[in-house]
Amino acid sequence: FGIFSLVLFLSIIGVTAFAFNHHPAGGMETIDPEKLEQTAPFDHPGVHQIDEDTYEVVIVAKTFGYDPPEIKVPAGKKIIFKVASADVSHSFSIVNTNVNMMVIPGQINTKEYTFDKPGQYLVICNEYCGTGHHFMKTSIEVI
Ligand code: CUA
């Protein structure tokens, strides 16, 4: 009876997960990590101005760093961060802000942020990604 209950339980979970799309990528934009760096916009990582008040920053996270290595954006403008991983799970976390994104291979993560003050902002990887994890960081210069 124990085994029967277990099988029944797992079947119910499996069926409902499919029926309601309860997998981690549900509702998110997806991308093939192996083709990431050939796929727009990730084939051109960097800061792109969209209009007078909006900038998009396209970032590729990969072991153990971020591409582009330098990010410079203006204060007081809407910055749309678009991040994807070229290999394993990382994060893109801007210290002292509410930008703290998991970067899971196969998914595109987007977050809007406006920097109020110019300065140097530290970006770190919060997700253990291998031996170089602790060195995975970059900074954003807000001008
Ligand atoms: Cu990338 Cu930790």
Side-chain angles (χ1 to χ4, degrees), residues 1-16:
F1 178 73
I3 291 170
F4 171 76
S5 307
L6 186 65
V7 169
L8 180 70
F9 178 68
L10 291 176
S11 313
I12 291 170
I13 290 188
V15 168
T16 51

Side-chain angles (χ1 to χ4, degrees), residues 90 125 127-129 133 136:
H90 299 282
C125 178
E127 194 65 27
Y128 184 74
C129 53
H133 162 70
M136 183 160 172

Side-chain angles (χ1 to χ4, degrees), residues 83-105:
V83 191
S85 169
D87 43 43
V88 299
S89 289
H90 299 282
S91 91
F92 182 86
S93 307
I94 309 174
V95 176
N96 295 329
T97 71
N98 67 353
V99 180
N100 186 5
M101 284 187 272
M102 285 273 287
V103 188
I104 297 166

Side-chain angles (χ1 to χ4, degrees), residues 11 25 35 42-44 51 71 76-77 92 102 104 114-115 118:
S11 313
K35 300 198 185 99
F42 296 97
D43 53 347
H44 291 104
D51 62 36
I71 300 169
K77 307 280 184 186
F92 182 86
M102 285 273 287
I104 297 166
T114 302
F115 295 93

